Amino acid sequence: MDKVEEILKNLNEGIEKLENKDFAIYFFVIDSETSPIASISYIYEQVKILTEACYNAKILHEKNSYRERQLPFIKDWLGEEYFNLPHSSIEDKSVNVNATDFIVIPELFANVMEQTVRLPAKRIVLCQSYDYITETLQAGKSWSDYNITNCITTTEQQKEHIQNLFLKKLEIDVIPVSIDDTFQKPTKPKSPIITILTRDQRDTVKIFKSFYLKYPHLKWVTFRDMRGMTKKVFAKALSESCVSVWVDDIAGCGTFPLESMKSGTAVIGKIPNLMNNWIGDKNGIWVDNVNVIPDLLAKFVQAWLEDSPPDEIYENMDETVKNFTTEKQKEKTEEVYGRLVNERIEEFKSTLEKYKNNNVEEKVNQ
């Protein structure tokens, strides 16, 4: 078999594999020893959806020790079914990447994009946090310099930001986050508890100390920092609280306020730098200045104690979270990856035709 015949054979086999879902989709994740943040949960949800759709989707991590160090956190936070999803380790050298495979790389890891540039697989950037795009990206470099032309993100606002940053040289899809049914409204009356989650721990301290200083008559109201909890404890705390506080200037989407809304808990939040279209005047109390949050908290808690919280907010919270169901995320995930696979098939077929035509021309010329 000459070289051209071998290429034609490989292309035909590749098309058959892609059509039969006989390929792998690797989702690269960072090795860590902490509870999974929202971005990791999103990746595991993608792998779960694709696995259920009969794709060979896998979590790809660097070290073998990931199983001992990180998977217990995954089990506690996400549950047994996520713990049992397929995992592959780079360290044990069992990963054999083919031209039919896909590798999904988070936006933070420009170094991984560079290191994998010679691999035959189709590589896709997963951008959940626009603020990390340039973190490890070399000055003057673009993802297209690493032969990456596809990106998946979580909001239309991030899509627009990425398009503007890379001069619209990418094909970008939006797959929204989902808020699952772990988060439910309580069956019992809510408690005088304020749940709080801030990117910078200093904001948490500043808010609750300022609240107690300015409103000593409300010292009996409890603040609950939401870091480091299992998912069930986290959801239970949200459903029990009467109001939540969220401060995250560089949020790409912001799952915490959405989880709070689904739990029937009103949100007082600082508008992030990249404002998402789900943030509205009537589904929460949104501010530009974190320093006014203690005052707004005091007013809200007083209204809640008097049984006169703003009903309009609760009505609009319900409408907001309807856009972030697991069904909608599943539908969009299957749609996007199905199209990416079909595009890859067409790419193989186009290359196949070129080789066939060139081969015929060479035989005629001979």
Side-chain angles (χ1 to χ4, degrees):
M1 183 185 297
D2 63 23
K3 186 175 181 181
V4 173
E5 288 176 340
E6 185 178 352
I7 292 172
L8 294 174
K9 177 176 176 291
N10 290 338
L11 285 167
N12 277 310
E13 288 177 351
I15 292 167
E16 186 178 351
K17 284 185 175 182
L18 286 163
E19 289 176 338
N20 294 327
K21 295 185 179 179
D22 184 17
F23 59 89
I25 305 176
Y26 295 101
F27 286 78
F28 184 78
V29 297
I30 189 171
D31 291 32
S32 66
E33 297 183 48
T34 59
S35 296
I37 55 178
S39 60
I40 298 296
S41 300
Y42 178 91
I43 290 173
Y44 270 81
E45 192 62 40
Q46 294 284 282
V47 173
K48 177 175 176 287
I49 291 169
L50 291 170
T51 300
E52 290 173 349
C54 299
Y55 288 97
N56 181 22
K58 299 181 179 183
I59 298 294
L60 179 63
H61 49 86
E62 187 176 358
K63 302 290 186 181
N64 292 334
S65 56
Y66 180 91
R67 287 189 168 276
E68 290 74 40
R69 292 188 292 123
Q70 178 65 3
L71 279 183
F73 292 108
I74 296 295
K75 187 175 182 179
D76 287 344
W77 176 256
L78 298 176
E80 188 81 31
E81 59 185 332
Y82 296 88
F83 174 82
N84 291 326
L85 288 171
H87 290 71
S88 292
S89 169
I90 296 172
E91 187 178 50
D92 66 16
K93 299 180 180 179
S94 63
V95 178
N96 184 24
V97 177
N98 300 304
T100 50
D101 295 334
F102 294 76
I103 303 175
V104 183
I105 306 170
E107 77 292 311
L108 176 62
F109 301 109
N111 57 325
V112 176
M113 299 176 204
E114 183 177 12
Q115 291 164 7
T116 58
V117 73
R118 295 187 182 280
L119 290 179
K122 172 77 174 179
R123 291 166 305 131
I124 302 161
V125 172
L126 174 59
C127 181
Q128 297 187 67
S129 183
Y130 71 95
D131 198 64
Y132 292 152
I133 289 173
T134 57
E135 189 84 9
T136 59
L137 193 64
Q138 292 182 35
K141 288 285 188 180
S142 169
W143 293 338
S144 59
D145 291 318
Y146 305 126
N147 298 328
I148 294 174
T149 56
N150 288 87
C151 172
I152 293 170
T153 189
T154 55
T155 66
E156 290 293 336
Q157 288 67 39
Q158 289 201 93
K159 176 180 178 178
E160 183 179 345
H161 176 85
I162 297 164
Q163 286 175 328
N164 291 334
L165 184 64
F166 292 113
L167 306 176
K168 301 183 179 180
K169 293 180 180 179
L170 296 163
E171 182 180 335
I172 306 172
D173 288 290
V174 175
I175 299 178
V177 301
S178 66
I179 310 302
D180 65 37
D181 290 337
T182 306
F183 298 91
Q184 296 281 347
K185 292 180 181 179
T187 55
K188 298 178 181 179
K190 286 181 172 288
S191 302
I193 297 170
I194 299 169
T195 44
I196 183 168
L197 186 66
T198 65
R199 182 171 290 269
D200 188 335
Q201 181 72 18
R202 291 175 299 177
D203 284 324
T204 295
V205 174
K206 180 169 66 175
I207 289 167
F208 82 75
K209 285 187 175 181
S210 298
F211 178 85
Y212 288 142
L213 277 171
K214 296 182 75 173
Y215 305 98
H217 63 288
L218 293 175
K219 278 189 176 179
W220 56 276
V221 176
T222 303
F223 277 80
R224 182 173 292 171
D225 190 344
M226 300 294 282
R227 299 168 193 271
M229 299 179 178
T230 65
K231 190 173 184 178
K232 287 183 179 179
V233 173
F234 188 94
K236 185 172 184 290
L238 267 181
S239 68
E240 290 175 345
S241 64
C242 64
V243 63
S244 69
V245 176
W246 179 62
V247 180
D248 187 349
D249 284 337
I250 63 171
C253 177
T255 54
F256 176 76
L258 294 171
E259 291 162 346
S260 184
M261 290 180 192
K262 189 164 182 185
S263 304
T265 302
V267 184
I268 298 176
K270 184 176 182 296
I271 297 172
N273 296 339
L274 192 67
M275 182 173 172
N276 291 299
N277 58 9
W278 60 260
I279 294 176
D281 294 335
K282 298 177 180 179
N283 64 0
I285 301 171
W286 304 103
V287 301
D288 294 314
N289 184 355
V290 70
N291 293 321
V292 304
I293 289 178
D295 300 324
L296 293 171
L297 274 173
K299 289 179 182 178
F300 187 94
V301 169
Q302 192 61 48
W304 176 77
L305 291 171
E306 294 169 0
D307 201 24
S308 58
D311 292 335
E312 188 178 35
I313 285 180
Y314 292 99
E315 293 169 5
N316 284 284
M317 281 163 43
D318 291 339
E319 287 302 311
T320 299
V321 294
K322 284 180 182 178
N323 296 314
F324 298 94
T325 63
T326 52
E327 291 78 13
K328 288 188 176 183
Q329 187 187 46
K330 179 178 183 292
E331 181 181 335
K332 191 63 179 179
T333 299
E334 292 179 0
E335 174 196 319
V336 168
Y337 283 95
R339 198 201 70 246
L340 288 169
V341 171
N342 287 334
E343 287 176 357
R344 191 66 166 162
I345 291 171
E346 291 306 313
E347 188 181 328
F348 272 49
K349 286 181 177 179
S350 176
T351 305
L352 181 64
E353 286 304 310
K354 287 178 183 177
Y355 272 101
K356 281 182 178 179
N357 293 335
N358 289 340
N359 197 29
V360 168
E361 286 179 13
E362 286 178 10
K363 289 182 179 178
V364 169
N365 292 332
Q366 288 174 357

